[in-house]
Amino acid sequence: MTAPGRRSSTFTRLLRHGFTDPSAAERLLESAELAPITADPVLLDALGATADPDLALLGLVRLVEAQGGHTDRQELLDTLIAAKPLRDRLLGVLGASAALADHLARHPRDWQALVMYEPQDLHPGVAEFERGLAAAADPVALRVAYRRCLLSIAARDVCGTTDIAQTAAELADLATATLRAALTIARAAAPDDAALCRLAVIAMGKCGGHELNYVSDVDVIFVGEAGDGADEGKAVQAATRLASHLMRICSETTVEGTIWPVDANLRPEGRNGPLVRTLSSHLAYYQRWAKTWEFQALLKARPVAGDLELGEQYVATLAPLVWGAAERENFVPDVQKMRRRVVENIPAAEVDRELKLGPGGLRDVEFAVQLLQLVHGRVDTSLRSGSTLEALKSLAEGGYVGRVDAVQLDDAYRFLRSLEHRIQLYRLRRTHLVPEDDADLRRIGRSLGLRTDPVAELNREWKRHTSVVRRLHEKLFYRPLLDAVAQLAPGETRLSADAARERLVALGYADPAAALRHLEALASGVSRKAAIQRTLLPVLLGWFADSADPDAGLLNFRKVSDALGKTPWYLRLLRDEGAAAENLARVLSAGRLAPDLLMRAPEAVALLGDGDAGGLAPRDRVLLEQEVLAAVGRADGGRQAVTAARGVRRRELFRTAAADIVASYGTEESPAEADQGALVDRVGAAVSDLTAATLAGTLRAVVRDGWGDTLPTRFAVIGMGRFGGHELGYGSDADVLFVHEPREGVDEQEASRAANAVVAEMRRLLEVPSADPPLLIDADLRPEGKSGPLVRTLKSYEAYYRRWSLVWESQALLRAEVVAGDGELGQRFIELIDPLRYPAEGLGDDAVREIRRLKARMESERMPRGADPTLHTKLGRGGLSDVEWTVQLLQLRHGWEEPGLRTTRTREALAAACAAQLISSEDAAILDEAWVLATRVRNAVMLVRGRAGDTFPSDGRELAAVGRYLGYGPGHVGDMIDGYRRTTRRARAVAEELFYGG
């Protein structure tokens, strides 16, 4: 007996052999069932070699207990000790799968399925599995026989007799045999139906590709034809009944559980289409209606059951369509759509544990291989394999994929599939999530041969392999293109020029010949620069292809590289700073504005990095103004000073546009910004602050150049419209008023001449043609409009507004804010106009009617001829004008009593109106959504086209680029237009009720 406080030697040995609960294991080993073999050392060694020794021991005790009598029990124990193959197989399964241990406890004689060790037992095929299922005459017996066969597959798997590819192929062969057995049972139950028709079962997905999981839906398509002399309609009905019965046999739950669901949703029209079609009906559908993903799915089509001759005929008939899919009109947008990972459908808490759909997961490998098969399999029949690993090998042998990349991807895919198998094997449940529990991770790690620190080693290996996949799945497409143009790696098979062009076209490049020229210019040679480019380009090309205009992205990258290629920091920035390369790719391929700004001063690419010199966050207005004024102070003469100020503006416009693009597209590390309003506010504030700083610098330069330190008159610039509202877009003019006040002792005419000269020179210098975009100053909102003086004194404004002010001017003044010049003078101007824009007791009825009349007139007179009023962002239905006039009417009527309404910003005023219960929260949300969307569309048009516009572009690529900026994937332009119309239609209804009805 063991002394109290001391552990037995058995306890210590159990710990050493990998048991995590030695006390429980010791009790099980001392049980009567195992008494005959407890002392034999081979038992403990064999248990210690399993994935979970505790689980294996418990399963063994249950199995021994379940034996029918003493003779059966002794036979099991004797064989276990004497036959190492059985011992390793049985205990290996019991230590890896609780579900198969349950099966053995229910069917205690099935352990004998693991005794045989004949040559055919090492790698059985369909014929062997058919023999194993032959006796099953009903669904329950089929389930038992299926699990018995599955037991032998799992045993070979956990013992290492088969690798992952062989195991997956055996599982597919077992599925084939099971489908055949199920069809036999269905036919026996309905012999009349069986006589009427020919029915072929086509395996799809992983079963068709000979790479099935332990637990997976088995995807199928059914093809039916009439039997000899039978009516086609009745034959198809009979075939449908047989197919439905086959599906129930496999899918339904009985006392022995289920086998697996049979899924026929890959058929034409999916679950809405008929379950069984004739071959001619299939062909008609694929010729006319099928989408690219359906041809991709057919890559794995394989006849497995029923009339195999009909099945082979089906595959042969559709093959030309499958291998011609890359020539289809919508292939490129379909591919772009499919290539975007659907990670957003995975719950956020599961993304990092998702083996199949997560970043660097199994789907990344499978999709990459399948796309390359579709592109190149048309002319190279060696690529036409349903197996991912076989296809990957053929792609490497043909030069379509780099050999080293293929080896690394093969290794990663095998590991991830092995991990998936071990996870599913435990409970025989369909899952692709890596468990979080340490006990589960320990069992899985040990089952994969990681014994030192199974949990840490498993996590490390898993992350390493997903990282490899994430890094390679894009390179897979593009590395061979570089090898083809750069003529590197002697001895490797290279892509032909035709194959390279085909691949570029398939990935969205409209001018593959030009793209290849750019690649050759960037990547050829043996210089360090070319070597770094060869490292960067495979990933960059993928990001370009993810945009609406890959050609522009690549061309712009070449231009930037030509301009900066000799600077030491440029390529180092892209190579070493994780965010810089992806940010640059997004910016260069998102439209014309940002690349044009960058080309004028390519060194601004440093802003895209994540180091000290980089940063896309907008600059504070005070800091911007300080920088502009300092640059002006260093310059010689007004023109040079304003050139310096415009240079700062160009750089900051690029920073703002780049930040907007990156936030709208998202990156691999961070998703796109979900709050569209925040994006609009950031752009509006940044561009408005930048415009104010530019005007301040220009004013300083002009005054200094013409009058030295002091202008004869105090001078202020008042922002109006979107400028005053902090809502400027990329293409907006600066709406302003100019106010001055003669200094003491200065003649008013002299002061007026000086003020007018300042304005004229500011406008001239800000519009001088140069490498920097002009800043147009618009003073048309001044008293008397274009007919009135450009600059007025404060007293003149006071006299005019007291005597002549019209209601539209009060409305325009709602947006007035001091932006540059003499702050104290500007503030007195604001105090002067406050009673006009927030009239005591609100607007009278006549003024309200006048505003309504003005808006109706503006809509009818200013809408461009031929413009679609449902898509015009400014004057159209539910657009900016509708929302802004509605909000401004509320401000004019209630601003005197609601302080929150006294703001120049539309969204702030709308929120204040809602808080004051002047508008319901639902109506406020509708108006806000429409205003944000219309503003985003205007910003998108400017970013994409490089020039301002109030409606969607007509060019297909430009329209697609606007869609990408707004968050719509490839092929969803129609959804974007429908969404815009739906949003603005709701806003129009609210605006009409509030603006005209109140």
Side-chain angles (χ1 to χ4, degrees):
M1 180 177 176
T2 306
R6 295 185 60 188
R7 289 180 172 174
S8 69
S9 59
T10 303
F11 186 99
T12 304
R13 278 191 301 131
L14 290 170
L15 273 179
R16 197 165 58 245
H17 278 83
F19 288 84
T20 57
D21 188 356
S23 299
E26 194 168 4
R27 288 193 298 273
L28 289 172
L29 284 169
E30 292 172 353
S31 63
E33 287 78 11
L34 295 187
I37 62 170
T38 299
D40 198 310
V42 300
L43 177 63
L44 207 54
D45 289 342
L47 287 168
T50 65
D52 187 340
D54 302 83
L55 184 67
L57 177 57
L58 177 61
L60 177 62
V61 171
R62 291 177 63 205
L63 177 59
V64 175
E65 286 176 344
Q67 297 304 308
H70 175 75
T71 303
D72 290 346
R73 190 174 305 163
Q74 196 60 48
E75 179 187 7
L76 169 60
L77 295 176
D78 288 347
T79 310
L80 187 71
I81 296 301
K84 186 177 187 306
L86 170 74
R87 184 166 64 246
D88 290 344
R89 288 179 169 195
L90 178 58
L91 296 182
V93 168
L94 293 174
S97 178
L100 288 177
D102 292 344
H103 172 84
L104 283 169
R106 288 196 308 273
H107 302 282
R109 300 303 291 168
D110 277 4
W111 66 270
Q112 293 182 335
L114 306 179
V115 176
M116 298 298 294
Y117 216 75
E118 300 299 326
Q120 67 269 22
D121 188 40
L122 290 174
H123 302 294
V126 176
E128 286 74 24
F129 289 126
E130 283 190 290
R131 284 197 292 273
L133 303 176
D138 60 72
V140 174
L142 182 60
R143 280 153 177 69
V144 175
Y146 173 84
R147 288 291 173 92
R148 188 183 305 121
C149 293
L150 192 67
L151 183 68
S152 67
I153 294 175
R156 287 187 294 276
D157 180 16
V158 298
C159 291
T161 306
T162 53
D163 65 13
I164 182 64
Q166 292 167 327
T167 300
E170 289 184 14
L171 289 166
D173 285 342
L174 175 57
T176 297
T178 306
L179 289 169
R180 292 178 181 181
L183 184 56
T184 298
I185 294 172
R187 281 172 166 163
D192 291 343
D193 283 347
L196 270 177
C197 66
R198 300 168 64 196
L199 176 64
V201 183
I202 312 298
M204 304 287 284
K206 281 188 161 53
C207 184
H210 237 110
E211 49 188 17
L212 197 60
N213 295 329
Y214 276 104
V215 187
S216 175
D217 291 356
V218 170
D219 296 310
V220 299
I221 284 177
F222 295 107
V223 187
E225 294 287 351
D228 291 339
D231 175 76
E232 184 178 285
K234 292 180 179 178
V236 169
Q237 291 174 355
T240 300
R241 289 190 290 271
L242 290 176
S244 299
H245 193 187
L246 177 153
M247 293 174 70
R248 291 196 303 274
I249 290 169
C250 296
S251 305
E252 287 180 348
T253 301
T254 69
V255 291
E256 286 294 336
T258 185
I259 301 177
W260 19 245
V262 175
D263 187 342
N265 288 336
L266 290 178
R267 67 186 184 269
E269 300 180 73
R271 63 179 69 242
N272 297 319
L275 184 62
V276 180
R277 287 176 183 257
T278 62
L279 180 55
S280 60
S281 176
H282 276 284
L283 179 60
Y285 173 84
Y286 284 108
Q287 284 175 329
R288 187 169 183 186
W289 303 110
K291 297 180 173 61
T292 300
W293 71 263
E294 293 178 280
F295 292 111
Q296 183 182 7
L298 285 170
L299 286 171
K300 296 185 178 293
R302 179 171 64 93
V304 291
D307 191 318
L308 294 182
E309 182 182 347
L310 176 60
E312 293 290 354
Q313 195 178 348
Y314 168 88
V315 171
T317 300
L318 295 185
L321 297 177
V322 174
W323 300 113
E327 297 176 316
R328 287 164 53 88
E329 182 179 350
N330 294 319
F331 182 74
V332 172
D334 287 348
V335 164
Q336 286 182 316
K337 193 186 309 180
M338 293 188 295
R339 286 182 63 239
R340 291 165 67 89
R341 284 189 294 263
V342 196
V343 177
E344 59 265 27
N345 290 333
I346 307 171
E350 297 179 357
V351 170
D352 291 337
R353 298 188 293 121
E354 173 63 62
L355 266 180
K356 181 178 180 180
L357 300 178
L362 292 164
R363 199 184 76 163
D364 276 353
V365 182
E366 292 161 357
F367 176 82
V369 169
Q370 289 164 21
L371 176 58
L372 291 175
Q373 286 181 279
L374 283 176
V375 173
H376 300 297
R378 182 164 51 96
V379 294
D380 189 343
T381 57
S382 70
L383 304 179
R384 300 181 182 182
S385 170
S387 160
T388 300
L389 290 173
E390 288 180 11
L392 182 57
K393 180 182 177 185
S394 298
L395 286 164
E397 289 174 348
Y400 303 100
V401 171
R403 288 184 184 274
V404 174
D405 291 346
V407 168
Q408 291 181 327
L409 210 57
D410 180 280
D411 186 45
Y413 187 73
R414 287 175 183 271
F415 176 86
L416 295 173
R417 285 298 305 274
S418 297
L419 178 55
E420 180 184 44
H421 274 197
R422 294 297 193 273
I423 292 168
Q424 293 184 348
L425 183 58
Y426 179 53
R427 291 288 184 192
L428 288 181
R429 289 178 184 160
R430 185 181 180 220
T431 179
H432 306 288
L433 289 179
V434 177
E436 297 177 287
D437 184 71
D438 277 359
D440 289 329
L441 294 172
R442 180 177 182 273
R443 182 188 64 255
I444 294 167
R446 283 174 58 91
S447 76
L448 294 172
L450 308 173
R451 298 300 175 102
T452 305
D453 185 354
V455 176
E457 289 179 71
L458 176 63
N459 280 320
R460 188 165 54 248
E461 284 296 291
W462 171 37
K463 297 302 180 188
R464 180 175 72 83
H465 284 296
T466 55
S467 176
V468 166
V469 173
R470 290 183 69 176
R471 178 171 54 83
L472 286 182
H473 99 277
E474 291 286 4
K475 261 177 71 177
L476 205 66
F477 299 113
Y478 298 108
R479 171 66 73 78
L481 292 169
L482 298 179
D483 289 349
V485 298
Q487 298 187 347
L488 299 169
E492 279 224 2
T493 307
R494 274 189 261 279
L495 280 182
S496 67
D498 287 343
R501 281 192 290 272
E502 283 176 350
R503 184 172 302 189
L504 284 165
V505 168
L507 295 169
Y509 288 82
D511 188 348
L516 287 171
R517 287 196 301 273
H518 299 324
L519 292 179
E520 185 172 7
L522 289 163
S524 289
V526 293
S527 67
R528 178 176 172 275
K529 170 186 167 185
I532 296 176
Q533 289 282 25
R534 287 194 293 272
T535 301
L536 293 169
L537 276 167
V539 182
L540 287 168
L541 286 168
W543 287 324
F544 295 150
D546 194 39
S547 75
D549 195 349
D551 300 81
L554 180 56
L555 172 61
N556 289 330
F557 180 68
R558 181 179 175 185
K559 289 178 179 177
V560 174
S561 295
D562 287 346
L564 293 176
K566 293 181 180 178
T567 56
W569 56 267
Y570 166 62
L571 289 174
R572 186 169 64 243
L573 170 82
L574 299 184
R575 182 191 63 191
D576 298 340
E577 293 197 23
E582 184 174 6
N583 289 347
L584 179 62
R586 300 298 182 202
V587 166
L588 294 180
S589 55
R592 295 179 184 174
L593 179 66
D596 285 350
L597 292 168
L598 181 60
M599 297 309 170
R600 290 164 180 166
E603 64 276 4
V605 77
L607 298 174
L608 300 171
D610 45 18
D612 294 337
L616 293 176
R619 303 275 304 284
D620 180 82
R621 176 169 172 174
V622 174
L623 295 178
L624 271 176
E625 193 163 319
Q626 287 175 353
E627 181 184 359
V628 170
L629 293 176
V632 166
R634 291 190 298 269
D636 294 328
R639 179 159 185 167
Q640 189 181 97
V642 175
T643 298
R646 289 175 66 181
V648 174
R649 177 172 178 263
R650 179 201 59 239
R651 184 197 70 209
E652 294 304 318
L653 274 176
F654 173 74
R655 187 199 303 270
T656 303
D660 189 20
I661 290 165
V662 170
S664 297
Y665 270 68
T667 65
E668 291 190 351
E669 296 301 323
S670 59
E673 170 72 64
D675 186 347
Q676 304 288 297
L679 287 170
V680 164
D681 290 345
R682 282 204 294 271
V683 172
V687 179
S688 299
D689 287 349
L690 177 56
T691 301
T694 306
L695 289 178
T698 304
L699 176 59
R700 172 76 61 86
V702 170
V703 170
R704 187 190 66 181
D705 208 36
W707 293 271
D709 293 331
T710 306
L711 190 66
T713 185
R714 301 174 70 186
F715 187 92
V717 185
I718 310 299
M720 300 288 285
R722 295 190 177 282
F723 187 13
H726 298 257
E727 297 162 358
L728 283 181
Y730 298 111
S732 301
D733 296 347
D735 289 320
V736 297
L737 298 178
F738 298 108
V739 57
H740 79 105
E741 185 177 67
R743 295 189 186 276
E744 191 174 348
V746 176
D747 176 72
E748 188 165 315
Q749 286 189 338
E750 179 190 349
S752 179
R753 283 195 299 271
N756 277 283
V758 166
V759 172
E761 185 65 359
M762 286 179 68
R763 296 178 83 172
R764 186 185 72 82
L765 290 174
L766 287 170
E767 296 178 22
V768 167
S770 75
D772 302 311
L775 175 57
L776 302 179
I777 294 176
D778 186 342
D780 289 352
L781 292 175
R782 64 188 184 270
E784 302 178 76
K786 293 180 180 180
S787 303
L790 202 56
V791 189
R792 287 177 182 262
T793 63
L794 187 62
K795 286 183 180 179
S796 174
Y797 276 108
E798 182 180 8
Y800 174 86
Y801 286 137
R802 184 176 61 249
R803 188 172 182 185
W804 304 108
S805 176
L806 300 173
V807 67
W808 74 263
E809 291 175 301
S810 296
Q811 182 181 357
L813 289 170
L814 286 167
R815 315 270 263 167
E817 182 173 291
V818 184
V819 293
D822 190 310
E824 192 272 337
L825 174 62
Q827 188 54 42
R828 282 195 284 133
F829 177 85
I830 297 299
E831 291 168 2
L832 167 68
I833 65 170
D834 272 352
L836 286 170
R837 56 184 182 174
Y838 309 125
E841 304 302 324
L843 285 182
D845 290 343
D846 288 345
V848 171
R849 279 193 293 272
E850 176 63 12
I851 286 181
R852 290 170 175 165
R853 187 186 67 78
L854 285 171
K855 183 174 188 302
R857 178 181 161 192
M858 181 187 71
E859 285 183 11
S860 64
E861 293 180 0
R862 295 179 59 188
M863 177 74 75
R865 182 176 297 178
D868 184 344
T870 67
L871 295 177
H872 198 279
T873 59
K874 186 176 181 180
L875 302 174
R877 181 193 70 186
L880 297 171
S881 174
D882 273 356
V883 178
E884 289 167 3
W885 282 60
T886 300
V887 171
Q888 288 160 15
L889 183 58
L890 290 171
Q891 289 180 283
L892 288 165
R893 299 178 81 174
H894 303 282
W896 65 279
E897 61 181 347
E898 291 294 342
L901 289 173
R902 298 171 203 164
T903 174
T904 62
R905 305 179 188 218
T906 302
R907 297 188 74 212
E908 279 188 11
L910 184 56
C914 181
Q917 298 184 337
L918 300 172
I919 178 175
S920 70
S921 57
E922 182 181 353
D923 285 350
I926 289 171
L927 292 179
D928 185 74
E929 181 186 9
W931 188 89
V932 167
L933 178 57
T935 304
R936 288 270 290 160
V937 171
R938 293 181 102 204
N939 285 345
V941 170
M942 184 65 188
L943 284 169
V944 170
R945 302 176 67 194
R947 61 183 188 274
D950 288 319
T951 190
F952 289 88
S954 56
D955 177 79
R957 282 217 161 188
E958 290 179 348
L959 191 60
V962 169
R964 298 301 298 277
Y965 173 84
L966 295 177
Y968 290 89
H972 286 281
V973 164
D975 294 337
M976 172 181 67
I977 300 297
D978 290 345
Y980 182 86
R981 285 184 168 134
R982 185 167 53 249
T983 299
T984 53
R985 184 171 61 246
R986 291 198 300 262
R988 177 67 167 201
V990 171
E992 285 187 336
E993 180 181 348
L994 293 173
F995 189 80
Y996 293 107

